[in-house]
Amino acid sequence: MADLRVCVIGTGAMGTDHIVRINTRMSGAGVTAIVEPDANRAAAALVHAPEAKQFPNISDAIASGLIDAALVATPGAFHEEVLLPIIAAGIPVLCEKPMTPDVASALRVVAAEAAGGKKIIQVGFMRRFDEGYIELQKQILGAQLGELLALHCAHRNPSVPEWYGNDMLIADSVSHEIDIVRFLTGSPIVSAEVKQLKRNKLAPERLNEPILVLLETESGVIATVEMNVSVQFGYQVITEAVFQKGVSEIGRSNGMTTWEAGRSSTAEHVSYLTRFARAYDDEIQSWINAARIGQLGGPNAWDGYMSVAVVEAGLKSLHSGAKELATYATKPAFYN
Ligand code: ISE
């Protein structure tokens, strides 16, 4: 079977990371096109895909006949305008999270896909491919420690780029926990409540953080999420699960430990690109394998929508300080 010819749309840090991944570590695919308006970013990306052709927009890339699949890594605000021509062309697409910035646009994307009659959108929730989360989900389902009672999640970034605004705490960062809590519990989130923690004076002025987000599932599990993007020391994503008869934790660094001068230290990640490197590899390989046979290899557009619906409740709570309910549209039969 011929290799999947992939067009990467948006070649910032994430898009470029995917180009390198596809062209050096994945099998069954290669990057044949990029869409990137910024000349410097495009040039830097093309170093890793010297044979790829650059297009000004996704429609031209599709019309060229040079691509079989698309990987969307632009900021979320541009996802809908890129996804709609892709859906019209019926080609498989991996769309980074959040699928779209709000519920109205998420529902438009879902409706367009359903009208096309074929599931072609996989959403980039890479944590579902992380070994730790997979093991924890198995443990929850197996119920060896009894029922799951609560989850405590810590999501810590050393710092964030200057274009990262306060709403992104929820839309860009907590959106990962929003998806993974449903993945772990198998139950939809029914409310979100944001509490401001004591402000870190080292955070950029525009950010009011860290925050603590309480996500409650329909099954009655509350997940607490410490979202903290100015921790300085490294990148850390830890999840603790509290059961009736025990506690489990995933995500501690398993880097080298060194004992020296009366103390020990273990290397910590400094970026999500290394913390989740394996998960990204597994996610993209799964997408490629599935796309080559016309299937999805991970979360679909309805999963993307479910997460956007909770992001919207979380954003409301970020502004109101109150607990806000998450409500969902009726799931089209197409996604059953
Ligand atoms: C970023 O977009 C990601 O997806 C990372 O996984 C997350 O840790 C970070 O906070 C986001 O800004």
Side-chain angles (χ1 to χ4, degrees):
M1 196 186 283
D3 276 4
L4 193 72
R5 299 171 304 163
V6 180
C7 174
V8 175
I9 303 107
T11 62
M14 196 69 253
T16 302
D17 198 55
H18 283 317
I19 291 174
V20 172
R21 167 172 296 107
I22 292 171
N23 279 357
T24 61
R25 297 198 292 282
M26 303 291 99
S27 61
V31 177
T32 53
I34 66 162
V35 174
E36 171 56 64
D38 183 283
N40 291 333
R41 273 205 297 263
L46 287 169
V47 169
H48 305 287
E51 265 139 53
K53 196 156 179 246
Q54 186 185 353
F55 290 96
N57 57 58
I58 183 62
S59 300
D60 287 0
I62 293 169
S64 75
L66 281 177
I67 70 169
D68 307 310
L71 192 159
V72 182
T74 63
F78 302 107
H79 286 182
E80 182 185 8
E81 65 187 71
V82 176
L83 284 174
L84 293 180
I86 291 173
I87 296 169
I91 62 174
V93 53
L94 185 293
C95 179
E96 275 300 341
K97 49 73 14 200
M99 186 173 78
T100 66
D102 54 46
V103 164
S105 50
L107 286 174
R108 283 195 295 271
V109 165
V110 157
E113 185 183 47
K118 191 160 176 242
K119 292 189 196 82
I120 54 169
I121 302 173
Q122 181 173 327
V123 180
F125 287 121
M126 80 300 187
R127 289 196 191 180
R128 291 185 180 219
F129 295 84
D130 175 74
E131 273 181 345
Y133 283 116
I134 292 172
E135 205 181 344
L136 186 55
Q137 189 202 44
K138 275 198 195 120
Q139 191 181 44
I140 293 170
L141 283 173
Q144 299 94 334
L145 300 180
E147 233 190 329
L148 176 73
L149 305 178
L151 291 164
H152 298 299
C153 313
H155 184 167
R156 301 178 178 129
N157 292 193
S159 59
V160 279
E162 74 285 350
W163 42 261
Y164 185 104
N166 205 55
D167 282 0
M168 291 177 81
L169 289 165
I170 304 288
D172 200 50
S173 300
V174 178
S175 55
H176 282 294
E177 276 76 17
I178 288 173
D179 179 67
I180 212 68
V181 165
R182 186 166 74 93
F183 171 79
L184 290 174
T185 61
S187 180
I189 292 169
V190 291
S191 70
E193 183 174 3
V194 179
K195 307 257 182 220
Q196 293 295 154
L197 296 177
K198 186 174 166 65
R199 187 172 181 280
N200 182 352
K201 294 194 188 75
L202 298 176
E205 291 241 319
R206 64 185 187 281
L207 301 183
N208 196 4
E209 56 99 19
I211 57 174
L212 187 76
V213 185
L214 274 67
L215 301 171
E216 185 170 4
T217 67
E218 195 174 80
S219 59
V221 172
I222 291 183
T224 62
V225 183
E226 176 204 318
M227 190 65 238
N228 197 333
V229 298
S230 309
V231 298
Q232 321 289 321
F233 70 83
Y235 184 90
Q236 203 173 49
V237 170
I238 294 177
T239 304
E240 189 182 82
V242 182
F243 296 91
Q244 286 175 293
K245 294 185 285 186
V247 169
S248 294
E249 188 196 64
I250 59 160
R252 288 252 169 212
S253 172
N254 55 4
M256 180 166 75
T257 302
T258 301
W259 288 264
E260 187 198 13
R263 57 197 305 137
S264 69
S265 60
T266 307
E268 183 53 279
H269 287 288
V270 290
S271 158
Y272 51 90
L273 296 178
T274 59
R275 164 68 175 84
F276 290 109
R278 263 290 286 287
Y280 281 121
D281 282 359
D282 291 350
E283 172 196 41
I284 299 301
Q285 190 64 67
S286 170
W287 172 64
I288 292 168
N289 295 348
R292 293 176 83 200
I293 52 169
Q295 290 179 9
L296 295 186
N300 65 24
W302 189 254
D303 296 310
Y305 158 74
M306 292 283 285
S307 148
V308 172
V310 182
V311 164
E312 201 156 281
L315 284 172
K316 255 199 216 163
S317 178
L318 183 69
H319 298 131
S320 71
K323 173 168 156 176
E324 302 286 353
L325 300 183
T327 54
Y328 301 100
T330 308
K331 188 175 177 179
F334 176 71
Y335 290 104
N336 286 334

